[in-house]
């Protein structure tokens, strides 16, 4: 099952709603944990989510806008 761009946006804003500015840091910790476990697929997934969280925190994306990945 693939994660859609809308799923990523929802997850990112959920993290931001729950953790505020700390959301990006928490995602970074997950990246490090998955990397330490040697799990490349989950490492990449958390890296992508971290990037979307940073975009949300910096105001580059809005909660209800159309979202696409490039």
């Amino acid at each position: 099952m693939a994660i859609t761009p809308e799923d990523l946006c929802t997850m990112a804003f959920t993290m931001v709603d729950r953790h505020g500015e700390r959301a990006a840091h928490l995602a970074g910790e997950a990246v490090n944990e998955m990397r330490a476990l040697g799990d490349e697929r989950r490492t990449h997934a958390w890296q992508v989510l971290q990037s979307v969280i940073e975009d949300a925190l910096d105001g580059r994306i809005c909660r209800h806008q159309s979202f696409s990945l490039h």
Side-chain angles (χ1 to χ4, degrees), residues 7-59:
D7 293 336
L8 278 170
C9 192
T10 298
M11 288 186 283
F13 277 101
T14 298
M15 293 278 295
V16 169
D17 290 344
R18 290 185 181 173
H19 304 288
E21 294 287 327
R22 215 166 126 61
H25 174 76
L26 293 170
E29 287 183 359
V31 168
N32 292 334
E33 288 177 20
M34 293 302 109
R35 187 176 288 132
L37 292 172
D39 192 331
E40 290 181 37
R41 186 174 63 91
R42 286 189 177 99
T43 298
H44 180 68
W46 275 104
Q47 287 171 324
V48 171
L49 183 56
Q50 183 180 25
S51 177
V52 177
I53 289 168
E54 290 169 353
D55 286 346
L57 289 169
D58 291 340

